[in-house]
Amino acid sequence: MNKALRQAIIAGNWKMNKTRPEAKALIEALVPYAEKASCGVVICVPYTNLETAIALTQGTNIKVGAENCHFEKSGAFTGEISADMLTEMGVEYVIIGHSERRQYFGETDITVNKRTKAALEAGLKVILCVGEMLEEREQGITEEIVALQTKIALMGLTKEQIANVVIAYEPVWAIGTGKTATSAQANEVCAFIRQTVAKLYDQATADAMTIQYGGSMNENNAAELLAQPDVDGGLIGGASLVAEKFAVLLEEASK
Ligand code: 13P
């Protein structure tokens, strides 16, 4: 398997952080760092910051993503945002199935599949999140959980469609906890996800897929994680909120 076949992508997931003035300041600080990066650079921001982010990243190599979208095209779904609303604005990426959506907002593998389909049909690129909880790892069922999440999320999608899917392996126990998976653990599960995709589609499709690690990745541990053969970048929470920290990740992923 050749890591050079695929693009490493560093994506920030801002979660529920940054007002518009704060977003403007952060993006302006990020632009010069991103210009030096050869990896893909994505910032996934709250809906209220999308317009600001799109305007400030025009003509730069930073792509803008949302943090979720609904599966219906329109209708009586108070508080939701459709994939078409995002593409119309110029949004290119969307995170689907983040563990915080699954844990706190009742997201299931089935709704993750529906949202993934809707996003791809609208022309968005999807960052699909999968990952086990601590009790599941301790029970020795990490692979079963991650395989099931991956297989259900990709149900009904063609090979052509999944060329627009990035998978982010985010062990729930490593998110926002400061506890990072070891580079060996991260690589093992990313490689397992790649095998799962190869079985569902074919090896070439799996080899071409960007599979990121996420969970307390920061300026201190990124080099080791990103050097792993099956880790193609990262989905970054906390460290994406500080330009100088995010810059280190971009530099490491560009090596
Ligand atoms: P942290 O980097 O803050 O652990 O968050 C990871 C994450 O959930 C990215 O989606």
Side-chain angles (χ1 to χ4, degrees), residues 96-109:
I96 302 284
H98 192 277
S99 63
E100 286 149 17
R101 300 292 321 166
R102 297 177 191 255
Q103 275 183 292
Y104 309 135
F105 301 100
E107 201 81 59
T108 66
D109 288 332

Side-chain angles (χ1 to χ4, degrees), residues 18 50 78 106 114 135 141 147 162 185 192 201 215 222 228 237:
K18 305 288 176 188
L50 286 171
T78 302
K114 288 166 82 167
E135 309 78 68
I141 55 171
I162 72 149
Q185 285 171 326
F192 174 75
Y201 297 90
Q228 299 302 308

Side-chain angles (χ1 to χ4, degrees), residues 13 15 95 98 100 170 174-177 214-217 235-239:
N13 173 9
K15 308 191 180 185
I95 298 172
H98 192 277
E100 286 149 17
E170 298 208 307
I175 295 177
T177 56
S216 300
M217 194 193 273
L235 184 57
I236 320 298

Side-chain angles (χ1 to χ4, degrees), residues 80-92:
E80 293 290 324
I81 300 284
S82 77
D84 287 337
M85 290 172 178
L86 297 176
T87 45
E88 187 279 328
M89 291 183 77
V91 172
E92 284 184 61

